[in-house]
Amino acid sequence: MLDSCKLKSACNLPFICNKKIINTAGTSNAEVPLADPGMYQLDITLRRGQSLAARDRGGTSDPYVKFKIGGKEVFRSKIIHKNLNPVWEEKACILVDHLREPLYIKVFDYDFGLQDDFMGSAFLDLTQLELNRPTDVTLTLKDPHYPDHDLGIILLSVILTPKEGESRDVTMLMRKSWKRSSKFQTQSLRLSDLHRKSHLWRGIVSITLIEGRDLKAMDSNGLSDPYVKFRLGHQKYKSKIMPKTLNPQWREQFDFHLYEERGGVIDITAWDKDAGKRDDFIGRCQVDLSALSREQTHKLELQLEEGEGHLVLLVTLTASATVSISDLSVNSLEDQKEREEILKRYSPLRIFHNLKDVGFLQVKVIRAEGLMAADVTGKSDPFCVVELNNDRLLTHTVYKNLNPEWNKVFTFNIKDIHSVLEVTVYDEDRDRSADFLGKVAIPLLSIQNGEQKAYVLKNKQLTGPTKGVIYLEIDVIFNAVKASLRTLIPKEQKYIEEENRLSKQLLLRNFIRMKRCVMVLVNAAYYVNSCFDWDSPPRSLAAFVLFLFVVWNFELYMIPLVLLLLLTWNYFLIISGKDNRQRDTVVEDMLEDEEEEDDKDDKDSEKKGFINKIYAIQEVCVSVQNILDEVASFGERIKNTFNWTVPFLSWLAIVALCVFTAILYCIPLRYIVLVWGINKFTKKLRSPYAIDNNELLDFLSRVPSDVQVLQFCLESCLTCLHFEICDVNIS
């Protein structure tokens, strides 16, 4: 702490004393003793503003905030439209070389097509912050030209953490950035000097959002369109929107990682969705995980602060999953004892032990060759991001090298065997967001254990190759029965996915895909109608005889039996070498066009587009685009199930159809309907907080669409060490 919190004279800088902000007559950085020199990490949460200055004709403003250190902009918040008391709740992680440079906070009013208006500024003297201590900061905004004007206040939460000296052997954990202009920030975690495995998170918090009660009406019709945002550290999740209700029923489940021994605090905010303008704030609440016992489900009814109503949650804290990073010298599967333990854990005899733990994944990130030069020196500073659903781990950075060697081993718990492993290579840039160098996506079911392969790096959309290859060795061990059971429950949602944006090529592509699915049904209808019209007498006669035979002898079990025969027929065609599956060259060409459009969009990203003024139209177009994608994907997934695109799923369908056929054959229909009705009527009574799902739709969600088949097939065709060229046309 500072001696008696002395005030010094200089420029108008606020500093902190016992979590209180004092606007001093000035604080001289030069006169304040500094901590040991080195790197510091400054974690800032931009909370909200109060009583900001009105800069627009309507008596409001569209405020956003900039953070600067040493004259460089390090963070820019999102724009809050038409609000003098904006709520941001955005987080930034900033690396600071030394503490002599204060943090400069500037607030602006966004004006479309014009120069943004200045709304005030303030300084935060970093030398006055206590290390490793969260501090609430209140900054009074001032205008240097009009120091007497009251421009409002900005509320922050900050924590300053010292970082050790730079090291080349640093392991990183990927985090989502709340900054609009950057893709992500990273946090460093060091490997043990003894090369032991380090578990990166200490547990899992499973959250089920059940419902809201008596929420505040934000719309003119006396209702709201509520959704909820959750945040734990740098992890976030957004629920679906429930239209026109004050008592929404969500029934959504998701998981967060626990990185702190004490658990941390989950920030929860409720919002009302408004098309074409800023969403309305309904209220907020928090969950202190340190107050909850482990391995037990807690039902919480939380009162919303700064608003009205309650949220009902189920929260469960569980032990850590097996997720680790180590050097090649520490390899679980090469240790015979550990390998036997892993095989025993996923043996067929342990079917009902922890159904969520489906399998074990080990990824060796060995090296990359021939990477793209991203720096002006003709080199790059590459590091590698390994992702499996919401689990993200990073290698250390190899500086000034186009042929880096990482030699790291990553292990993950598999929750869904249909997940896709994504490995992305970035170029580290200290002063701005990392540059993308290449990416590969590998479905877990397509992995061949223990084989070192060279994967050709592809672009962001996975539609074509970019420069360089990456060498990986992957092993997957899983319990097939657990994997089959998990196939019939909802997929885990990725809570850090980027939001969709409007794309002309994507909209056209989805329309063509849906049109082709619809045309299959139309052509089938034309064929049936031609039989009725006797366009071909032999065909019509055969159809008529078949119709009489089927109708006279029809039993319900024949429906799954016909589907079973179709699957079997296609399987024998494939194994006999008569595979008639054709690559969709139309979709492939459109993917390439989409890539060109995305490149063009990236170049123009600095310009303020006209899309800001037609936000409502964009939202409608994006919704239509997504609906077209969902409809087209649904039809393609049904086709790919019968085409044996994913043999595991096709075999699972055969087993299910056999069971259904036997049940329908042996049990009268009335008893089946009776059991189904009793189950539906009593389900809510037996399990009040059960999450509704459809097993058939959950199954189909695991089957790849044609677009995913192209992306993953391109991946698998270009992975051999000698780069053997398959029959995939890569433009």
Side-chain angles (χ1 to χ4, degrees), residues 626-645:
N626 292 340
I627 291 172
L628 291 175
D629 177 63
E630 290 178 4
V631 173
S633 297
F634 183 82
E636 291 166 356
R637 287 186 170 115
I638 294 175
K639 177 196 70 176
N640 291 336
T641 300
F642 289 93
N643 276 353
W644 291 82
T645 301

Side-chain angles (χ1 to χ4, degrees), residues 32 51 55 81 241 286-287 304 311 332 348 428 438 486 705 731:
V32 178
S51 305
R55 297 301 191 212
H81 294 280
I241 301 168
Q286 290 184 332
V287 176
L304 290 177
L311 294 179
S332 297
E428 180 184 310
R486 289 284 294 173
S705 64
S731 180

Side-chain angles (χ1 to χ4, degrees), residues 86-100:
V87 176
W88 283 285
E89 290 296 340
E90 295 187 58
K91 294 188 178 182
C93 179
I94 302 170
L95 294 180
V96 182
D97 286 326
H98 51 78
L99 302 182
R100 292 187 179 277

Side-chain angles (χ1 to χ4, degrees), residues 85 96 196 213 271 275 308 331 343 349 355 394 432 451 460 494 518 524 584 596 637 664 685 729:
N85 297 284
V96 182
R196 296 174 181 173
R213 298 175 183 170
W271 300 83
E308 300 175 6
N331 186 341
L343 291 173
L349 300 178
L355 288 176
L394 277 76
R432 56 190 176 92
E451 292 187 8
K460 292 181 181 179
K494 296 190 71 172
V518 172
D584 195 337
E596 295 175 1
R637 287 186 170 115
L664 293 172
L685 299 176
N729 179 23

Side-chain angles (χ1 to χ4, degrees), residues 117-156:
D117 298 322
F118 178 71
M119 296 179 63
S121 63
F123 290 92
L124 176 61
D125 189 353
L126 303 182
T127 63
Q128 310 297 333
L129 296 175
E130 289 189 56
L131 297 180
N132 300 311
R133 181 178 179 181
T135 307
D136 295 326
V137 181
T138 301
L139 299 176
T140 301
L141 297 176
K142 295 293 182 181
D143 187 338
H145 301 290
Y146 306 97
D148 296 332
H149 287 189
D150 183 10
L151 301 181
I153 60 175
I154 293 292
L155 284 79
L156 311 172

Side-chain angles (χ1 to χ4, degrees), residues 401-513:
N401 201 322
L402 299 181
N403 301 288
E405 292 191 12
W406 292 289
N407 293 320
K408 297 297 178 188
V409 179
F410 300 85
T411 64
F412 299 87
N413 266 80
I414 300 174
K415 302 176 186 177
D416 190 342
I417 194 60
H418 310 287
S419 300
V420 176
L421 176 69
E422 296 183 1
V423 182
T424 311
V425 182
Y426 291 95
D427 168 64
E428 180 184 310
D429 280 320
R430 181 172 173 182
D431 296 329
R432 56 190 176 92
S433 61
D435 296 323
F436 176 86
L437 297 181
K439 179 179 182 179
V440 296
I442 310 164
L444 298 186
L445 285 173
S446 69
I447 292 172
Q448 297 177 343
N449 287 348
E451 292 187 8
Q452 183 182 134
K453 293 187 177 182
Y455 293 83
V456 174
L457 294 173
K458 297 196 286 188
N459 55 33
K460 292 181 181 179
Q461 293 75 32
L462 299 171
T463 54
T466 185
K467 192 174 182 182
V469 295
I470 185 168
Y471 289 82
L472 306 173
E473 183 178 330
I474 311 173
D475 290 272
V476 176
I477 298 174
F478 68 98
N479 185 300
V481 178
K482 286 185 181 181
S484 302
L485 294 175
R486 289 284 294 173
T487 304
L488 303 178
I489 65 175
K491 291 177 65 175
E492 179 182 6
Q493 296 185 10
K494 296 190 71 172
Y495 45 78
I496 58 174
E497 275 188 319
E498 295 182 2
E499 294 183 357
N500 293 322
R501 63 178 180 178
L502 181 63
S503 168
K504 179 181 66 177
Q505 289 294 335
L506 183 58
L507 186 64
L508 179 61
R509 187 191 79 190
N510 291 340
F511 175 77
I512 292 177
R513 291 168 58 206

